[in-house]
Amino acid sequence: MSFGNLVLVGVALFAILGAVGAFTIAFRRSQSDESADVVDPTAGVSSETLKADKSMVGVRVEPIPVPVIEETGEETGDEVEVEVEVGVAEPEPSPVAIQVVETQRVVEVSPEEAGVTRRQFFNRALNVTFFSFLGIMGINSLAFFWPRLSGGFGSDIDAGSLAEVKSAVFTPTGSILPLFIPEAKAYVVPAPTSLSDQYAGKQVETDGLMALFQRCVHLGCRVPWCAPSQGFECPCHGSKYNSVGEYFAGPAPRNLDRFVVEVRDGRFIIKTGSVIQTSRAPALSVNYPQGPSCIGATSGDEEA
Ligand code: FES
């Protein structure tokens, strides 16, 4: 696995774990809030916020006056005169611990110090998930369009040693058998003895070999080799090309595309990052067809 793929996998795992962690924390918080018998108003508030919160310091709680009835009287014969005095008794000191200070200090608590509400938490979790998703999509898009520097289609593909490639392409019977290189999506074929002017200045041939892109230039079907006719014939709409990829018939607008090739340290290298396009060949440099077609009619100049 390439470094780029590892980075993508790592970012994806990080985003997924982050989202799962966020939702787990939120779920636990909501559970603990609902199950708590006593609501703690300071639950979830950070220690810094509690330290800064002086709202209860300096608050004096006035005692509630309790009415009392005092009975005084003196006996006068058969009657007893009763005087009732209604007053306010001094309440007993409350056992509630209230700190009373001389001066009051009001401290305004900012939203940040007051902690994160559940709504804020969910909003932030959603934002993190959304932007992580966007980031992953962006990285994937970049990786898709970024030219590969090593390995895979889009990079330089080693098709094998030059001797091996030649022995596979040129058969003992004299016919040719294109060597298909799956990683390069290319057929290695013998190059024409005299290269067309269309390729002037372009390295599409080396040591008598060239590499054709397997994709039909009409609508992109893979074009198979037809041994009897010694050409490439597209089964989708009938485009036909000779053994070196020159257009012969069908709706294809041009020759098969080619790759830049070179021999490096005795190896046949196909540069799949460099695709060479050419218009229909004015004249075929290799005869076609040399036998029956694999898909039917073989007449030239068949237009779509
Ligand atoms: Fe090959 Fe249409 S895709 S002829």
Side-chain angles (χ1 to χ4, degrees), residues 170-183:
F170 298 101
T171 67
T173 62
S175 62
I176 66 162
L177 184 61
L179 174 63
F180 184 62
I181 309 296
E183 200 175 7

Side-chain angles (χ1 to χ4, degrees), residues 198-199 202 215 254 256-258 275-279:
Q198 296 185 83
Y199 304 111
K202 300 186 175 72
R215 190 185 62 184
R254 61 179 187 271
L256 283 179
D257 296 335
R258 275 144 241 260
V275 179
I276 307 298
Q277 298 181 353
T278 52
S279 55

Side-chain angles (χ1 to χ4, degrees), residues 157-215:
I157 304 294
D158 183 349
S161 72
L162 184 60
E164 290 171 348
V165 173
K166 278 192 170 182
S167 65
V169 171
F170 298 101
T171 67
T173 62
S175 62
I176 66 162
L177 184 61
L179 174 63
F180 184 62
I181 309 296
E183 200 175 7
K185 300 179 181 176
Y187 293 101
V188 179
V189 296
T193 48
S194 61
L195 210 56
S196 165
D197 292 343
Q198 296 185 83
Y199 304 111
K202 300 186 175 72
Q203 183 74 23
V204 296
E205 178 272 339
T206 183
D207 288 73
L209 296 172
M210 61 189 346
L212 305 178
F213 197 175
Q214 68 165 5
R215 190 185 62 184

Side-chain angles (χ1 to χ4, degrees), residues 215-221 223 241 247 251-257:
R215 190 185 62 184
C216 181
V217 295
H218 179 223
L219 291 179
C221 292
V223 187
Y241 315 83
Y247 170 84
R254 61 179 187 271
N255 300 323
L256 283 179
D257 296 335

Side-chain angles (χ1 to χ4, degrees), residues 46 84 107 113 125 127 142 170 178-179 187 199 244 247 251 280 304:
S46 66
V84 177
V107 177
E113 291 173 326
N127 284 339
L142 198 62
F170 298 101
L179 174 63
Y187 293 101
Y199 304 111
V244 293
Y247 170 84
R280 291 176 176 178

Side-chain angles (χ1 to χ4, degrees), residues 23-165:
F23 281 108
T24 303
I25 293 170
F27 178 75
R28 285 186 178 170
R29 282 192 177 185
S30 64
Q31 291 293 307
S32 60
D33 288 350
E34 289 167 6
S35 61
D37 294 332
V38 180
V39 177
D40 181 3
T42 62
V45 180
S46 66
S47 58
E48 292 81 9
T49 304
L50 291 173
K51 205 184 275 185
D53 182 14
K54 307 295 184 189
S55 60
M56 292 303 294
V57 176
V59 175
R60 183 189 298 276
V61 178
E62 295 295 338
I64 301 170
V66 179
V68 297
I69 299 174
E70 287 185 3
E71 293 183 2
T72 59
E74 52 189 45
E75 292 184 10
T76 57
D78 298 333
E79 296 180 349
V80 176
E81 290 186 4
V82 177
E83 291 183 7
V84 177
E85 288 186 10
V86 177
V88 176
E90 283 298 320
E92 292 294 322
S94 171
V96 178
I98 297 176
Q99 184 183 358
V100 179
V101 296
E102 294 298 325
T103 58
Q104 292 188 1
R105 192 163 73 91
V106 177
V107 177
E108 288 192 7
V109 180
S110 66
E112 288 75 19
E113 291 173 326
V116 180
T117 65
R118 190 180 306 172
R119 174 176 301 208
Q120 288 174 322
F121 179 80
F122 274 115
N123 284 341
R124 290 176 190 179
L126 280 175
N127 284 339
V128 168
T129 306
F130 177 70
F131 285 110
S132 299
F133 175 76
L134 275 187
I136 292 170
M137 291 298 293
I139 292 172
N140 274 330
S141 303
L142 198 62
F144 180 77
F145 291 110
W146 199 265
R148 291 201 182 185
L149 300 179
S150 64
F153 187 77
S155 65
D156 293 358
I157 304 294
D158 183 349
S161 72
L162 184 60
E164 290 171 348
V165 173

